[in-house]
Amino acid sequence: MQKQQPDSDNSVHEKRLAIFASGSGTNAEAIMTYFANHPSVSVAALLSNNPNAYALQRAQKFNVPTFVFNRHQFKESHEVLSWLIEKKITHLVLAGFMWLVPDYLVNAYAGRIINIHPALLPRYGGKGMYGMHVHEAVKAAGEKETGITIHLVNERYDEGKILLQARVKLTGTETADEIAAKVHELEYRHYPDVIEKWVRNS
Ligand code: GAR
């Protein structure tokens, strides 16, 4: 059987992103907005492990095709990869996606999967450290700053090459929700821009 491989030919002009999101999808929306009229980059799919993810509705608003998958389809059957190849996806963008990416997908899209983490890695990273859990831990530790990390994805949680970190000061009196809001603001400001630069060179 021939090995399934996405198109990695750099002469193909258009970069076609697939966003993976498990929840609300405010970052997904910021990315879809940013690339809506872009000459060479488009958001061509949004995938989710969660059929109730609000991110799916955001995608529909942008006429972006969606695919909901279960653990078996993602981890074992490679059905997700077949779908990505059918849609001619060149790059994967994780935006609030909570599952570990399996080895076969990391290998198929080597260097072409990016993630955003809502803290300054390597602190507050790893299994179980996602979404509000991160902001609650930052608050409990009384940190005087937090931030975001945008990094490439490998087989381990939060360990790929870092492309950008951005920081925001904390007074120490913020609630976890207020910390989340400050971090989200940084995410919307930087993630689309970093994605644009990264796809240009990968
Ligand atoms: C974002 O803050 C993102 O950094 C975080 O989940 C949130 C999703 O928000 N991702 C992780 O924690 C991954 N480890 P959104 O659904 O509104 O974009």
Side-chain angles (χ1 to χ4, degrees), residues 23-28 95-98 115-118 129-131 134-135 158 183-184 187-188:
S24 169
T26 60
N27 275 286
F97 181 62
M98 303 309 173
N115 182 44
I116 190 161
H117 187 79
M129 268 296 168
Y130 58 86
V134 174
H135 308 307
D158 304 326
V183 168
H184 262 129
E187 294 187 323
Y188 309 148

Side-chain angles (χ1 to χ4, degrees), residues 77-109:
S77 77
H78 298 199
E79 234 174 283
V80 170
L81 179 57
S82 306
W83 194 83
L84 294 169
I85 290 171
E86 189 191 307
K87 290 271 179 277
K88 299 190 182 338
I89 298 301
T90 61
H91 293 74
L92 311 186
V93 173
L94 312 188
F97 181 62
M98 303 309 173
W99 284 1
L100 188 64
V101 179
D103 287 4
Y104 79 87
L105 208 47
V106 173
N107 292 333
Y109 282 93

